[in-house]
Amino acid sequence: MGLRGLLHLLLVLLDCWASVSAQAGATPVVTMEDLNSTEPAPTTLRPALSPRPPETSRAPRPFSGPRPTPVTDVAALCVCDLSPENCDVNCCCDPDCSSTDFSIFSACSIPVVMGDSQFCSQKAAIYSLNFTADPPQRIFKLVEQINPSIFCIHITNYKPALSFINPEVPDENNFDKLMKTSDGFSLNAESDASFTDKPDAPNSAKYEVPNSGTKVPITVQSIVFRSLNKTLTRLEDTDVLRQVLVETGQVQVCTNVVLEVKYSLTYTDAGEVVQADLSLLLGAVSSAMVPLQQKFEIYFIQQNTKPVPLSGNPGYVVGLPLAAGFQPQKGSGIIQSTNRYGQLTILRSTTEQDCLAAEGIRTPVLFGYSMQSGCKLRLTGAVTCRLVAQKVKSLLKGQGFPDYVAPFGNSRAQDVLDWVPVHFITQTSHVKDSCQLPVALAIEVKWTKYGSLLNPQAKIVNVTANLISSSFPETSSGNERTILISTAVTFVDVSAPAEAGFRARPAINARLPFNFFFPFV
């Protein structure tokens, strides 16, 4: 029995079942229109197939129905709103809560509401409580979150991916067509993504600026060709980008293979890309050189700004900031901030000496300078211990505490194995019925003199960050306590004693004949 015979038998059985169901009594069926209507369903629902008269042929459904509009307004999102038309406890984003409800909250269960963290820039709703006000009030801020990764998503230009597409239900009219489709689905004509090249489109590459209709052309700055014997030649003709395969005996040589690609993007203060440059390194590759390793780099340069000087070349220079960064995932390179003075920072002391007022005010760690700073934090019984501990920890570490520190002032970000990891240690004193609060962050940087005695270079060999916590008894309602929060940086010279070395005297290994002193000996 072939496929069409099996389909015919299946349709006969369905028609027989439909006629028997029609004689026994029809059951009302709820369609999509009934679900979308505001009127209640009149009768009880039955699962499984809905009966249909055999003489009526159902028209095939469209490829996709109406897609729901994705909710991207983070100010309207609330994950902790579980009770409709009621205020949930400690849910600061609940629209059903009033100012009276906020005054009795102990903390915000969901302090930050944001979308997908893979986007380069997105809105984030931050909720907090102001316990210094009388009565306590809720604080709402809508900030812009920036993802420092260069592999972040700028914009989602494939809108059908934001919702599911309703598949076409197979029936006797479209069964053969769906069987010929590889995966059972077809591309929708409403798709905003086009995968076909326009014949009249220009053959020049362009960089599209996110959230803007401007397209910046990519300018090829240089094309360098490297031969098999490692000699470099600058090419002026861009037509050489075509690859050519040459066979010389048993060895195959492929020319114009891309070995290195370097992008340089110039952007303004507003984050708009105004210039895109490209540099290529092409080369000749023989069959004996496979597998081939390619190299890709990208540089971001702010317009009308001067580059920050290195902290030494190669060793560190006293008074210049340390080079630091973090590794977003295993296997990737080190990501550094474009501001060298914002890579490894500590809390900066202010004249007010108020920790909450000094939040976000940082000072860079300068090589060779041991520094110490601090502030005062007033605690009341209205604030929970857990909320204060998180606040103080973020205050001491800053917005982005680095994972690695460069051993030299000119260390490259792609040489991850050469970078010195930051060992983060937490010290706590466990006391029963007490509040554990971080009170100090001590950073110890060990460095050594590297190289010759005439011109030694400073090299960092170890970095340890020690977060010290102390136990404080729980404050009763109405009482107020002031604690001191401090940070310190210490540089320790662990260089071995420099001893001048001299070349050893040569050993004379001379042998005389056995009868040299004959007849005296």
Side-chain angles (χ1 to χ4, degrees):
M1 180 181 297
L3 180 61
R4 295 186 177 276
L6 181 61
L7 176 62
H8 180 72
L9 179 59
L10 179 61
L11 294 178
V12 172
L13 293 177
L14 289 176
D15 294 339
C16 294
W17 178 86
S19 60
V20 173
S21 300
Q23 295 177 2
T27 302
V29 181
V30 177
T31 60
M32 291 301 296
E33 290 76 13
D34 297 329
L35 293 177
N36 296 330
S37 63
T38 57
E39 298 181 0
T43 55
T44 308
L45 302 179
R46 285 185 57 186
L49 299 175
S50 58
R52 178 172 48 88
E55 68 277 3
T56 303
S57 61
R58 182 176 55 183
R61 297 183 181 180
F63 288 104
S64 63
R67 303 186 183 97
T69 303
V71 180
T72 56
D73 186 10
V74 293
L77 297 177
C78 190
V79 184
C80 56
D81 186 9
L82 304 178
S83 303
E85 299 182 359
N86 289 322
C87 179
D88 293 270
V89 180
N90 291 338
C91 185
C92 297
C93 58
D94 193 345
D96 300 323
C97 297
S98 60
S99 58
T100 306
D101 299 327
F102 294 139
S103 62
I104 59 175
F105 283 3
S106 61
C108 293
S109 59
I110 306 295
V112 180
V113 179
M114 59 186 301
D116 193 353
S117 60
Q118 296 181 356
F119 282 90
C120 299
S121 176
Q122 61 174 333
K123 297 290 184 180
I126 301 178
Y127 300 90
S128 60
L129 296 174
N130 183 12
F131 294 100
T132 59
D134 189 18
Q137 299 176 356
R138 185 198 70 169
I139 300 177
F140 169 74
K141 293 189 299 182
L142 194 63
V143 299
E144 189 81 14
Q145 291 283 357
I146 303 299
N147 187 359
S149 176
I150 62 174
F151 300 104
C152 57
I153 301 175
H154 283 280
I155 187 174
T156 305
N157 53 12
Y158 184 55
K159 296 181 180 180
L162 299 176
S163 59
F164 292 101
I165 299 177
N166 299 328
E168 185 177 0
V169 179
D171 55 14
E172 64 274 12
N173 298 324
N174 60 0
F175 185 82
D176 294 337
K177 182 182 66 175
L178 294 180
M179 285 298 297
K180 295 179 181 179
T181 308
S182 59
D183 54 355
F185 295 93
S186 300
L187 290 177
N188 186 8
E190 300 176 0
S191 176
D192 295 334
S194 178
F195 300 99
T196 58
D197 296 334
K198 297 181 180 180
D200 55 346
N203 196 16
S204 60
K206 292 186 178 181
Y207 181 85
E208 184 174 357
V209 181
N211 300 327
S212 175
T214 306
K215 292 185 178 181
V216 180
I218 298 179
T219 304
V220 180
Q221 294 290 340
S222 64
I223 301 177
V224 180
F225 179 79
R226 187 175 70 182
S227 61
L228 290 177
N229 56 0
K230 308 301 182 181
T231 59
L232 300 178
T233 304
R234 187 182 180 92
L235 303 179
E236 301 296 339
D237 188 7
T238 58
D239 294 336
V240 299
L241 296 179
R242 294 188 296 268
Q243 295 184 355
V244 179
L245 181 62
V246 181
E247 295 185 4
T248 58
Q250 297 181 354
V251 180
Q252 294 182 348
V253 179
C254 185
T255 61
N256 299 333
V257 178
V258 178
L259 301 179
E260 292 185 8
V261 178
K262 294 182 180 180
Y263 288 97
S264 178
L265 302 181
T266 305
Y267 63 96
T268 60
D269 296 338
E272 182 180 0
V273 177
V274 294
Q275 184 179 353
D277 299 330
L278 172 65
S279 300
L280 294 174
L281 175 61
L282 308 180
V285 179
S286 63
S287 57
M289 298 173 57
V290 294
L292 179 66
Q293 183 177 2
Q294 295 175 308
K295 182 180 179 181
F296 301 88
E297 295 182 5
I298 182 170
Y299 297 94
F300 292 92
I301 303 174
Q302 188 173 355
Q303 194 178 31
N304 299 327
T305 57
K306 296 182 179 179
V308 178
L310 296 175
S311 297
N313 190 10
Y316 279 96
V317 178
V318 177
L320 293 182
L322 269 65
F326 63 93
Q327 188 178 19
Q329 59 185 359
K330 188 176 181 180
S332 64
I334 301 296
I335 295 180
Q336 297 177 264
S337 173
T338 55
N339 182 13
R340 179 63 62 89
Y341 296 93
Q343 294 180 7
L344 180 59
T345 59
I346 61 173
L347 178 66
R348 188 175 70 182
S349 300
T350 58
T351 56
E352 296 83 4
Q353 296 185 356
D354 187 2
C355 292
L356 298 180
E359 183 180 3
I361 303 178
R362 314 286 295 181
T363 184
V365 176
L366 305 179
F367 180 80
Y369 289 173
S370 296
M371 299 180 291
Q372 186 173 0
S373 61
C375 60
K376 293 181 180 180
L377 182 64
R378 290 185 292 270
L379 299 179
T380 59
V383 185
T384 60
C385 175
R386 182 179 179 183
L387 181 61
V388 176
Q390 294 178 355
K391 189 71 174 179
V392 175
K393 186 176 181 180
S394 62
L395 183 68
L396 292 175
K397 296 181 63 177
Q399 183 178 4
F401 194 79
D403 301 329
Y404 292 88
V405 173
F408 293 103
N410 62 348
S411 297
R412 300 187 303 175
Q414 58 266 30
D415 300 333
V416 184
L417 298 179
D418 296 339
W419 286 60
V420 180
V422 178
H423 301 283
F424 199 86
I425 303 175
T426 303
Q427 292 184 359
T428 58
S429 56
H430 298 283
V431 179
K432 188 177 181 181
D433 299 334
S434 63
C435 178
Q436 299 289 333
L437 292 181
V439 294
L441 178 64
I443 301 176
E444 184 185 53
V445 181
K446 295 181 180 180
W447 64 281
T448 181
K449 296 177 182 178
Y450 183 84
S452 65
L453 291 175
L454 299 178
N455 187 21
Q457 301 295 315
K459 176 184 179 182
I460 295 178
V461 294
N462 183 270
V463 179
T464 303
N466 193 356
L467 183 64
I468 304 174
S469 301
S470 298
S471 301
F472 295 91
E474 296 285 351
T475 58
S476 58
S477 179
N479 295 335
E480 184 175 324
R481 178 186 292 114
T482 302
I483 61 175
L484 180 63
I485 307 298
S486 63
T487 57
V489 179
T490 306
F491 287 86
V492 181
D493 187 1
V494 294
S495 302
E499 297 180 358
F502 299 94
R503 297 185 62 179
R505 293 183 179 182
I508 301 176
N509 189 11
R511 293 184 180 183
L512 300 176
F514 70 95
N515 58 352
F516 182 79
F517 294 99
F518 181 82
F520 304 100
V521 177

